[in-house]
Amino acid sequence: MNRPLLHHRAEGSPTAPPLLLGPSLGTSLALWDQVAPELSVAHRVVRWDLPGHGGSAPGLISAGATVGELAGLVLALADDLGIERFAYAGVSLGGAVGLHLAVHHPERVGALAVLCSSAHFGGAGAWQERAALVRKEGTAGVADSAPARWFTPGFSVPRLVRDNRDADPEAYAACCDALAAFDLRERLGDIAVPTLLIAGRDDPATPPAHLREIADAVPGAELAELFNSSYRPDNPVHDTAFHAAYLAPVVAAGGDLVDSFSYWTFSDMFEEEGVPTALFHGGFGLLTHRQVKKPTYHLYAFMARMGEEVLGRGDDHLVTRHPDGRVTVLAWAPVDPTGVAPGPGLHTLRLHVPLSGGTAFLRRSSVDEERGNAYTAWRRMGSPRSPRPRQVDVLHEAAEPARSHHRLPVGELGVTVDLTLERHEVTLVEVSPVEDETPAWWDAGRLLGDGEPR
């Protein structure tokens, strides 16, 4: 008698390149509901349920199970479907299955994506305790605590929580046994397929450092860290200076964890929601549909002008240096991440910037509630749904950062930079040594006014 297969769902053309999707502990193939239709346009998508989850029989594994056993069930499914080589993506335990397949069955895996997972899951103790709890009391307790582990505040997917509650306790516990025993760190260097790692910034179970560990060990692997301030394409926070100040420390710290930054999306022309109903409507974009820049656009533009060498960082700043000696400072006013309490009206900081020479030229670009903020100007206009050309010109002008220039002395410790930031301000300071080429015949005393150089 043939052994039962994992419950699965196949979508897309049978002749398209196959893509297998693995779920996390406690969920079902419904985890992929929002993306499977898109993926099936170009792939033969096969998503499967863990034993005792969704439609898969609980008896496929037993106490003391391993990730290798789960990987074997996935290969048996692929064989039954006539799939020899496939791309694979998996979340958490499903991601661990993908890592195992890439190490132990490299001839079967053509590409790998590992989402919110790990090469080890923090040691056996916690998983053994959870397995014992579920075997004794069932899955109701872990289901009740699942939203706090899985979702950021204000967001939930009730269907996945139900799947957790409905999972077979023995099979769930056996999956915990597999996680307890899993540790592939010593074999990561053997993975030779193109590998993408995706981390969630606020994921408490597998934080970004776990994915960075894999990325550093797998040759050529790429790592992306995802974060968000709102999952809705109509949240006004996306249009504000608060949003830029909220994201500034995230982006500034993320360089240690990821290879590049992206943003969802570049423009408010977001096909899932259709044509925007107003110029500012809380869209996902860095630009409105009339290409008016939002404060967060400038945060990313400022980051693009930072140097490669990190000189220092703090809770409100990042200091970098370019190969030519220029020093760049990104600074931001602190915000309450919940948005409940307003940020401070003024925020001050003093930085000592290492620089040689006698004097320094300082260029500062800033956005806050008043400057570089077309949203504020738009509100003062009366929030026109479709601004006229003259109004659009004003908004483009209002969207540009405020800029100032200064000349400062260079002391023994370099340049002392004193900054006072307005509420929700993000500022970029560029400091470079001055090479004075003033001609010998120049006489500042002939100028009207006080004669001081500007």
Side-chain angles (χ1 to χ4, degrees):
M1 180 181 294
N2 292 331
R3 188 180 184 184
L5 295 172
L6 292 168
H7 176 255
H8 63 281
R9 181 179 300 167
E11 297 156 283
S13 171
T15 61
L19 169 62
L20 272 59
L21 302 178
S24 63
L25 175 66
T27 68
S28 70
L29 53 75
L31 177 69
W32 300 96
D33 278 353
Q34 298 302 310
V35 296
E38 295 290 335
L39 294 173
S40 64
V41 172
H43 295 84
R44 180 188 181 186
V45 173
V46 179
R47 37 184 172 146
W48 51 272
D49 284 328
L50 287 163
H53 295 62
S56 286
L60 289 170
I61 58 172
S62 58
T66 66
V67 170
E69 290 181 51
L70 294 172
L73 292 171
V74 172
L75 291 178
L77 174 62
D79 291 341
D80 187 76
L81 296 173
I83 298 174
E84 179 62 28
R85 189 170 171 84
F86 48 84
Y88 183 92
V91 180
S92 189
L93 177 53
V97 170
L99 290 171
H100 182 95
L101 289 169
V103 168
H104 295 281
H105 303 277
E107 75 284 356
R108 304 295 299 269
V109 181
L112 175 65
V114 178
L115 293 72
C116 300
S117 188
S118 182
H120 65 100
F121 287 84
W127 294 107
Q128 291 170 344
E129 291 176 5
R130 188 188 296 192
L133 176 67
V134 170
R135 288 186 172 110
K136 180 180 179 181
E137 301 181 3
T139 57
V142 293
D144 289 341
S145 62
R149 297 192 309 272
W150 290 351
F151 309 122
T152 51
F155 178 73
S156 184
V157 182
R159 164 66 191 276
L160 296 181
V161 178
R162 273 200 317 275
D163 287 339
N164 196 349
R165 190 180 303 277
D166 294 341
D168 178 81
E170 284 298 327
Y172 184 102
C175 288
C176 291
D177 293 339
L179 288 167
F182 184 70
D183 190 341
L184 210 63
R185 285 175 287 185
E186 297 300 321
R187 298 292 306 276
L188 292 175
D190 297 339
I191 296 177
V193 300
T195 302
L196 172 65
L197 294 314
I198 298 179
R201 175 177 177 254
D202 297 321
D203 182 4
T206 54
H210 283 240
L211 282 299
R212 167 52 68 187
E213 183 178 38
I214 302 173
D216 288 342
V218 176
E222 296 185 4
L223 170 64
E225 179 183 346
L226 305 182
F227 59 89
N228 206 345
S229 52
S230 172
Y231 63 94
R232 295 188 59 90
D234 58 357
N235 191 325
V237 71
H238 296 141
D239 301 330
T240 64
F242 170 90
H243 193 240
Y246 166 78
L247 291 182
V250 179
V251 176
D256 294 338
L257 301 172
V258 299
D259 301 311
S260 62
F261 294 100
S262 185
Y263 186 87
W264 186 266
T265 59
F266 188 67
S267 167
D268 278 350
M269 291 297 292
F270 184 52
E271 71 279 4
E272 293 182 15
E273 292 296 320
V275 178
T277 56
L279 185 70
F280 287 101
H281 60 283
F284 281 136
L286 296 172
L287 304 173
T288 73
H289 69 288
R290 300 292 290 273
Q291 299 183 15
V292 177
K293 299 171 184 174
K294 302 181 185 181
T296 305
Y297 172 96
H298 295 296
L299 168 63
Y300 275 76
F302 292 168
M303 280 296 299
R305 285 154 63 181
M306 299 293 283
E308 296 182 0
E309 179 187 1
V310 176
L311 298 180
R313 57 158 48 96
D315 293 338
D316 54 5
H317 68 276
L318 173 68
V319 184
T320 66
R321 180 160 51 201
H322 294 262
D324 62 4
R326 288 178 297 126
V327 176
T328 45
V329 178
L330 182 73
W332 54 89
V335 301
D336 175 4
T338 68
V340 175
L346 295 175
H347 177 71
T348 61
L349 65 155
R350 168 172 285 191
L351 300 173
H352 299 288
V353 176
L355 202 73
S356 59
T359 56
F361 176 74
L362 184 148
R363 180 192 188 207
R364 180 175 176 180
S365 306
S366 300
V367 297
D368 55 34
E369 291 295 340
E370 291 290 333
R371 303 169 296 172
N373 193 334
Y375 177 74
T376 297
W378 178 74
R379 292 285 293 162
R380 289 171 178 166
M381 284 179 179
S383 305
R385 293 169 61 87
S386 298
R388 297 181 178 182
R390 180 184 59 81
Q391 292 175 312
V392 173
D393 289 342
V394 172
L395 293 173
H396 278 293
E397 181 181 84
E400 289 303 308
R403 295 184 174 92
S404 59
H405 309 89
H406 306 275
R407 187 165 174 167
L408 298 175
V410 177
E412 292 183 1
L413 298 177
V415 181
T416 299
V417 179
D418 290 305
L419 298 175
T420 299
L421 278 61
E422 301 287 340
R423 177 176 286 113
H424 302 157
E425 179 176 346
V426 177
T427 191
L428 176 72
V429 178
E430 300 167 278
V431 186
S432 55
V434 171
E435 297 182 10
D436 199 337
E437 299 181 359
T438 303
W441 50 261
W442 179 258
D443 182 6
R446 299 176 61 186
L447 294 175
L448 297 177
D450 59 12
E452 292 296 324
R454 302 295 184 213

